[in-house]
Amino acid sequence: MDSNTTRASLLSRVRDPRDDAAWREFEETYRDLIVRYCRSRRLQTADAEDVRQLVMFSLSKGLRSFEYRPERGKFRHYLCRTIRNAIIQHSARPNSPKGALDTQELAGVLADDSGETDALWEREWMDHHYRLAMKTIRDTFEPRSVEVFDRLLDGQPVDDVARLYETTTQAVHKVKQRIRNRMMELVREQIREEDEPI
Amino acid sequence: MNRFDDSPGSDRPFGTQGSSADLSGFGFDLPDEEWMRVVRSAEKRAELGSIGSYELIEEISRGAQGIVYRARQPNTRREIALKRLVAGSFAAPMVRARFEREVRIASNLNHPNIVTVYGSEVHEGQPNLAMEWIDGVRVDRWAHRNPAGRRSVEEVLRVFAVICDAVHHAHQRGVIHRDLKPSNILVDAEDRPHILDFGLAKILEADDVEAAHLTQTRDFVGTPAYASPEQVRGRQTEVDVRSDVYALGVILFQMLTGRLPYPDDRNLAELLQAIKDREPPSPSSLDARLDREIDAIVLKALSKEPARRYASVDGLAADVRRYLAGEPVSAHPPTTTYYLRKMIARHRLPFALASAAAILVIGFSIATTMLSYRLNEQRNAAVLAESDEAKARQVAEQVNAFLRNLLEAAEPDRAGGEEVTVREVLDKAASRVEERDDLAPEVEAAIRGTIGATYNGLGLLEPAERHLQIALKLAREAHGDTHVEVARHLRSLGNVYRVKGQHGEAGQVYEEAYSIFETVLEPGHEDIAVALANLAVLAMEHHDLDTGERQLRSAIDMLTRRLGDDHRQTLAAKLDLALVYRERGQLDEAAARLRSLLPAVHEAFGPDHTRSFQAMNNLAVILKNMKEYDEAQGYYEALIENARRIYGDDHPHTIQFEANLASLLQARGDLDEAEAALRAVFARATEVLGDASPTTLSIMNNLAGTLASSDRSAEAIELFRRSVEGSKALYGDRHPVTAIAMGGLGHALIESGAEASQYREAESLLKQALAIFETALPADHPFRRKTREGLRTLYGPDHLNDVEALTALDSPLDDRAALGGEQEEGSPDR
């Protein structure tokens, strides 16, 4: 099955409050992004997890209805705002451990909260799409192709890899190019899906 | 050929894919080397940092309670599993309290298959739990991981039994897991299972105020797919060890079949509904490697009602191990057939085809209870449940041992591959049990009960009665008068009495059985319903149709609710209800009901089962009375063939079917054929069943009627006299069957055209018969008409008012079959 077409429906499927499978898939897809962004905002792992919980909670309220609200803009901006709100909310909680978020960082979060996304977010968001695309590739490409690509990612020279797999450097290059092309296609699909009105 | 060419994707050149999505910043425009660095960095494992003094290595899992990390202990550098409670808006103080109790409880459990808890610490207000690190895979994945395909059923069961042992260990210490699921059970490289997370455990102690407080909330804790119906219903106070039994049932189901009983990709509400209401598919329907015993074990663990599950995890483990050892499992309906079949398979006795057929017979007998010491359904306390089941199991094992020794002893005698018949095995068992004086009364009672019911199934009524009497006496001594075991022996005994035609005795023991079941079991229990149905059939035999109908309807109602529409017991009672219509003379209605029940009956019981026989036989009888002779004859011939094959020639069923076919021939007017057939079957019935059985009496009546029609009055009159006497003794003076015999005798006396005294006797007989028919039968019933005709012949037309026009005079006995003579001797499955 082409994962493009199934992915394309996740954000719309997740609107159905009865579709628990879609919600689980949604959580699976985005939780890493949320935690990583929090960590890049210098939250401790434990606090990042707390924030993730808060984010999922408000998303479950916000998304899981059939109401479309175009004023939210793109999902990526909506998600970023939700996370930043959660960070602020978490740090403001009376029983929040001291030092969960240092003041300077909090100020940064607050300052960035102008409807625009920040650079940290943009980086995490792009990494997120790379990871999704890589996962699809790992699931759908011939395992030997994936192994070749992984060796290249590890920094092994093309010649070595070709020798190891008893093939030509040309073939190895072709694998890399194929995966690169496919990743671009996938990322483009993923973003197009994400940019559907929410 | 390029071996990488089969990868998906396309050869479309870079950058030409049509799209408006903005990919700037992603780095697709970078040179390969730099682009690969971007990919590498995106895929890099997120740095987790540390929690408290623990250095986090990776995230392992996350659940409702928290996240589990692989972590390193600061001083020892030992790898541990660190569980962190997720705070935030979901983390109510209640959750926290639960977590703290988990530490206390878990660190008290010390078992090689339960993950060791090292301790806990509170870091910045958040509690963390440090546990033994297990390098293993989830048990469901273990079961389906393929180094060489799937794990074998035996491998799966062996590991599962070890899991049960560990859970049982916790139960014995008052700890219930309440959240057993594959992600909480890891299997290591040596195939040893380890149970994690006794985190939702609830202490069974009644005075545990904290526990009571925690469980007052109705909020749902646990993973729905493995949650028991009582957990799903939010009845936390009903959660006990049997909830863990249920979860283990789900896990076993999944390990064996690779799927859940109720697939959990549906939405939550549907899943919860299914857990509450839907019957799971049988594992064997999903995987051909599995058999009915596995089904029985898994489905027993998955019963909706806790009381129907194993009362303890130990019981579940014991059954799994019995299965592995090739011994009978307690979950399987404890029919003697099943038991003996198991024994024979295990000991490879040279049972040949004839005896294999005879073995089937045993299944028709009432399953006594040697393995089915069902638990007192009221009980909740797990500890009590355990000790009762342990005792029951002890008895079952002794019974097992007895019969096993017996079969082993039988073996050398039969070294030449000669057949061992069930009869021989039974006789041997009977004499062996006589010799033993070391058996505990409850053990001997169970063995005798089995032997007695089996004899009854073989149609050997005398030994059946003797053993059941002793079983009853011993059970009374061992358990007291008001006990399920006593009631079961009473019921078996009632079945014997009914076949013998001793209705008074049958009524007494059925009554007592019913009142015991009603006292001991919860209202609506199927044993109560079946006892009621037994009484109903008896009432019908006494021609109290209204009582019979009322009792049957109420039994059907209970059974439908308890067991479902198409359950054997429900169907059996529905078949009996159809007979009520037959008895009332509403033949169309009765035939319609039987026809519509027939497919379900075949499906539920199997075509060779006595119940299928009965349904077909009863339908044939009705068809005969509706003068659908050809169709009826087809049924009879099939029945006789099957009965000879399965029961042998001398079984009451075989005799009954032959008698019925003979009476069909008679009704159709093939008198010579009918007479020959009736004589043959009469001789055998007299020999096997005796003079006084309903079957013998009905054959006697029919033979007499045929003889009367063939102008052999003297012999006919003699037989009718015997029949009248027998019917009076069996049914009483005012029973329709007695009236039929009297009517027949009356007609025969008139036709013999002899002396005046015989006319006077005929008049008296016909008058009595008519009086009985007028109260018992509807106005247009042929018996009433024909009896009037007899009187009219006697008196001349003027003496009777309101006589209908004479119709062709059949022997009234042609139709006697509609009145109970063909009533089968009961409900052998009960």
Side-chain angles (χ1 to χ4, degrees), chain B residues 259-277:
Chain B
R259 52 158 279 188
L260 288 161
Y262 315 105
D264 72 343
D265 54 356
R266 69 186 76 224
N267 71 54
L268 187 63
E270 264 179 54
L271 172 62
L272 297 183
Q273 198 61 39
I275 290 170
K276 281 187 280 185
D277 296 331

Side-chain angles (χ1 to χ4, degrees), chain B residues 346-417:
Chain B
R346 196 169 138 80
H347 297 284
R348 296 191 172 76
L349 279 186
F351 274 67
L353 191 67
S355 44
I359 291 278
L360 286 176
V361 175
I362 299 175
F364 303 153
S365 75
I366 294 72
T368 359
T369 55
M370 65 184 165
L371 298 174
S372 78
Y373 288 75
R374 226 178 279 162
L375 294 143
N376 180 339
E377 319 250 340
Q378 317 298 332
R379 178 183 45 225
N380 250 336
V383 180
L384 182 57
E386 218 170 88
S387 74
D388 261 31
E389 195 173 82
K391 190 181 169 198
R393 210 160 43 236
Q394 231 171 19
V395 172
E397 266 154 23
Q398 289 182 56
V399 177
N400 258 350
F402 178 85
L403 289 177
R404 188 161 42 230
N405 289 338
L406 183 84
L407 290 173
E408 276 162 0
E411 212 163 0
D413 298 348
R414 301 289 162 189

Side-chain angles (χ1 to χ4, degrees), chain A residues 120-156:
Chain A
L120 285 174
W121 170 254
E122 285 295 318
R123 186 67 255 153
E124 289 298 339
W125 176 74
M126 287 177 189
D127 283 354
H128 161 76
H129 279 288
Y130 267 123
R131 282 195 302 275
L132 281 188
M134 260 322 282
K135 183 174 184 311
T136 306
I137 280 166
R138 289 184 198 287
D139 289 348
T140 55
F141 268 58
E142 207 253 336
R144 287 176 63 91
S145 301
V146 176
E147 278 176 37
V148 165
F149 189 71
D150 276 342
R151 288 184 184 279
L152 296 176
L153 277 183
D154 277 353
Q156 291 189 26

Side-chain angles (χ1 to χ4, degrees), chain B residues 269-540:
Chain B
E270 264 179 54
L271 172 62
L272 297 183
Q273 198 61 39
I275 290 170
K276 281 187 280 185
D277 296 331
R278 268 209 2 239
E279 290 305 319
S282 57
S284 66
S285 68
L286 302 170
D287 187 329
R289 301 176 304 162
L290 308 174
D291 58 29
R292 281 170 155 193
E293 291 170 280
I294 298 268
D295 287 351
I297 293 173
V298 174
L299 297 178
K300 179 170 180 178
L302 290 180
S303 297
K304 304 285 180 211
E305 291 287 318
R308 298 173 146 260
R309 291 176 210 144
Y310 291 94
S312 72
V313 173
D314 197 26
L316 172 57
D319 247 6
V320 167
R321 292 201 166 98
R322 275 189 209 112
Y323 178 85
L324 286 169
E327 291 174 4
V329 305
S330 76
H332 194 280
T335 58
T336 323
T337 328
Y338 164 71
Y339 184 80
L340 282 184
R341 198 185 287 134
K342 254 338 243 198
M343 282 301 180
I344 288 157
R346 196 169 138 80
H347 297 284
R348 296 191 172 76
L349 279 186
F351 274 67
L353 191 67
S355 44
I359 291 278
L360 286 176
V361 175
I362 299 175
F364 303 153
S365 75
I366 294 72
T368 359
T369 55
M370 65 184 165
L371 298 174
S372 78
Y373 288 75
R374 226 178 279 162
L375 294 143
N376 180 339
E377 319 250 340
Q378 317 298 332
R379 178 183 45 225
N380 250 336
V383 180
L384 182 57
E386 218 170 88
S387 74
D388 261 31
E389 195 173 82
K391 190 181 169 198
R393 210 160 43 236
Q394 231 171 19
V395 172
E397 266 154 23
Q398 289 182 56
V399 177
N400 258 350
F402 178 85
L403 289 177
R404 188 161 42 230
N405 289 338
L406 183 84
L407 290 173
E408 276 162 0
E411 212 163 0
D413 298 348
R414 301 289 162 189
E418 242 177 284
E419 291 179 11
V420 177
T421 66
V422 172
R423 172 78 199 256
E424 286 172 301
V425 172
L426 266 182
D427 287 348
K428 194 149 210 158
S431 70
R432 189 68 56 88
V433 79
E434 310 273 4
E435 289 161 14
R436 292 278 293 264
D437 49 11
D438 58 331
L439 293 170
E442 58 265 39
V443 174
E444 187 175 342
I447 293 171
R448 296 252 193 198
T450 304
I451 292 172
T454 309
Y455 272 125
N456 188 33
L458 292 170
L460 303 165
L461 303 180
E462 291 312 322
E465 182 179 347
R466 196 161 52 78
H467 285 285
L468 287 170
Q469 292 279 20
I470 300 172
L472 178 62
K473 181 170 153 286
L474 291 170
R476 283 192 205 273
E477 284 166 16
H479 305 291
D481 281 345
T482 314
H483 191 276
V484 180
E485 288 308 303
V486 173
R488 295 209 169 112
H489 295 310
L490 285 166
R491 184 169 61 191
S492 300
L493 202 52
N495 294 325
V496 175
Y497 286 141
R498 204 162 80 203
V499 184
K500 291 177 76 183
Q502 293 169 272
H503 290 145
E505 287 87 342
Q508 269 176 18
V509 294
Y510 279 155
E511 285 281 2
E512 193 186 344
Y514 175 71
S515 89
I516 293 172
F517 282 134
E518 224 192 8
T519 311
V520 176
L521 303 176
E522 64 185 1
H525 192 282
E526 63 269 25
D527 276 336
I528 301 174
V530 170
L532 198 57
N534 282 335
L535 285 172
V537 174
L538 212 59
M540 283 162 64

Side-chain angles (χ1 to χ4, degrees), chain A residues 18 20 45 130 153 180 188, chain B residues 19 26 28 40 48 267:
Chain A
R18 291 166 309 176
D20 291 295
T45 297
Y130 267 123
L153 277 183
R180 184 172 165 148
R188 200 189 302 279
Chain B
S19 164
F26 272 91
F28 284 111
R40 197 157 49 228
L48 290 169
N267 71 54

Side-chain angles (χ1 to χ4, degrees), chain B residues 72-396:
Chain B
R72 215 184 302 280
Q73 236 172 5
N75 304 324
T76 60
R77 305 300 293 161
R78 173 166 64 175
E79 282 193 5
I80 58 139
L82 187 74
K83 181 169 180 177
R84 178 180 175 272
L85 181 69
V86 174
S89 53
F90 301 123
M94 198 192 75
V95 181
R96 186 87 67 87
R98 229 178 246 155
F99 186 90
E100 281 160 5
R101 289 184 52 245
E102 173 179 5
V103 180
R104 260 204 335 271
I105 295 164
S107 51
N108 285 336
L109 295 174
N110 183 14
H111 189 274
N113 301 103
I114 294 177
V115 166
T116 312
V117 171
Y118 297 131
S120 72
E121 65 166 33
V122 176
H123 173 66
E124 292 183 342
Q126 309 287 334
N128 304 309
L129 184 63
M131 298 176 289
E132 180 187 3
W133 168 254
I134 301 295
D135 191 8
V137 289
R138 286 168 48 151
V139 70
D140 53 336
R141 294 186 189 142
W142 171 86
H144 288 267
R145 212 156 57 166
N146 42 344
R150 274 187 302 174
R151 308 275 170 181
S152 71
V153 172
E154 286 68 29
E155 266 181 293
V156 165
L157 291 178
R158 266 194 292 276
V159 165
F160 180 77
V162 176
I163 294 169
C164 289
D165 293 343
V167 175
H168 184 62
H169 172 88
H171 285 175
Q172 285 177 314
R173 277 142 196 85
V175 182
I176 298 168
H177 194 294
R178 294 212 292 173
D179 194 22
L180 284 168
K181 55 191 173 186
S183 61
N184 276 338
I185 304 170
L186 300 178
V187 183
D188 66 21
E190 278 82 49
D191 290 346
R192 283 182 311 233
H194 300 264
I195 303 176
L196 307 162
D197 233 13
F198 265 90
L200 301 176
K202 161 186 136 182
I203 292 189
L204 274 174
E205 294 159 20
D207 59 355
D208 189 335
V209 179
E210 188 190 12
H213 175 72
L214 285 183
T215 51
Q216 269 168 7
T217 65
R218 288 179 49 85
D219 73 333
F220 177 77
V221 275
T223 307
Y226 303 88
S228 62
E230 62 272 17
Q231 284 171 302
V232 163
R233 288 178 203 277
R235 296 188 187 149
Q236 296 299 335
T237 53
E238 288 174 24
V239 171
D240 61 19
V241 296
R242 292 170 299 184
S243 307
D244 280 354
V245 168
Y246 181 91
L248 286 167
V250 180
I251 291 167
L252 181 56
F253 191 108
Q254 193 180 9
M255 287 171 75
L256 290 169
T257 67
R259 52 158 279 188
L260 288 161
Y262 315 105
D264 72 343
D265 54 356
R266 69 186 76 224
N267 71 54
L268 187 63
E270 264 179 54
L271 172 62
L272 297 183
Q273 198 61 39
I275 290 170
K276 281 187 280 185
D277 296 331
R278 268 209 2 239
E279 290 305 319
S282 57
S284 66
S285 68
L286 302 170
D287 187 329
R289 301 176 304 162
L290 308 174
D291 58 29
R292 281 170 155 193
E293 291 170 280
I294 298 268
D295 287 351
I297 293 173
V298 174
L299 297 178
K300 179 170 180 178
L302 290 180
S303 297
K304 304 285 180 211
E305 291 287 318
R308 298 173 146 260
R309 291 176 210 144
Y310 291 94
S312 72
V313 173
D314 197 26
L316 172 57
D319 247 6
V320 167
R321 292 201 166 98
R322 275 189 209 112
Y323 178 85
L324 286 169
E327 291 174 4
V329 305
S330 76
H332 194 280
T335 58
T336 323
T337 328
Y338 164 71
Y339 184 80
L340 282 184
R341 198 185 287 134
K342 254 338 243 198
M343 282 301 180
I344 288 157
R346 196 169 138 80
H347 297 284
R348 296 191 172 76
L349 279 186
F351 274 67
L353 191 67
S355 44
I359 291 278
L360 286 176
V361 175
I362 299 175
F364 303 153
S365 75
I366 294 72
T368 359
T369 55
M370 65 184 165
L371 298 174
S372 78
Y373 288 75
R374 226 178 279 162
L375 294 143
N376 180 339
E377 319 250 340
Q378 317 298 332
R379 178 183 45 225
N380 250 336
V383 180
L384 182 57
E386 218 170 88
S387 74
D388 261 31
E389 195 173 82
K391 190 181 169 198
R393 210 160 43 236
Q394 231 171 19
V395 172

Side-chain angles (χ1 to χ4, degrees), chain B residues 41-58:
Chain B
S41 122
E43 280 211 306
K44 194 179 59 184
R45 178 175 284 158
E47 280 167 21
L48 290 169
S50 58
I51 287 183
S53 52
Y54 295 101
E55 178 193 337
L56 302 183
I57 302 168
E58 63 175 326

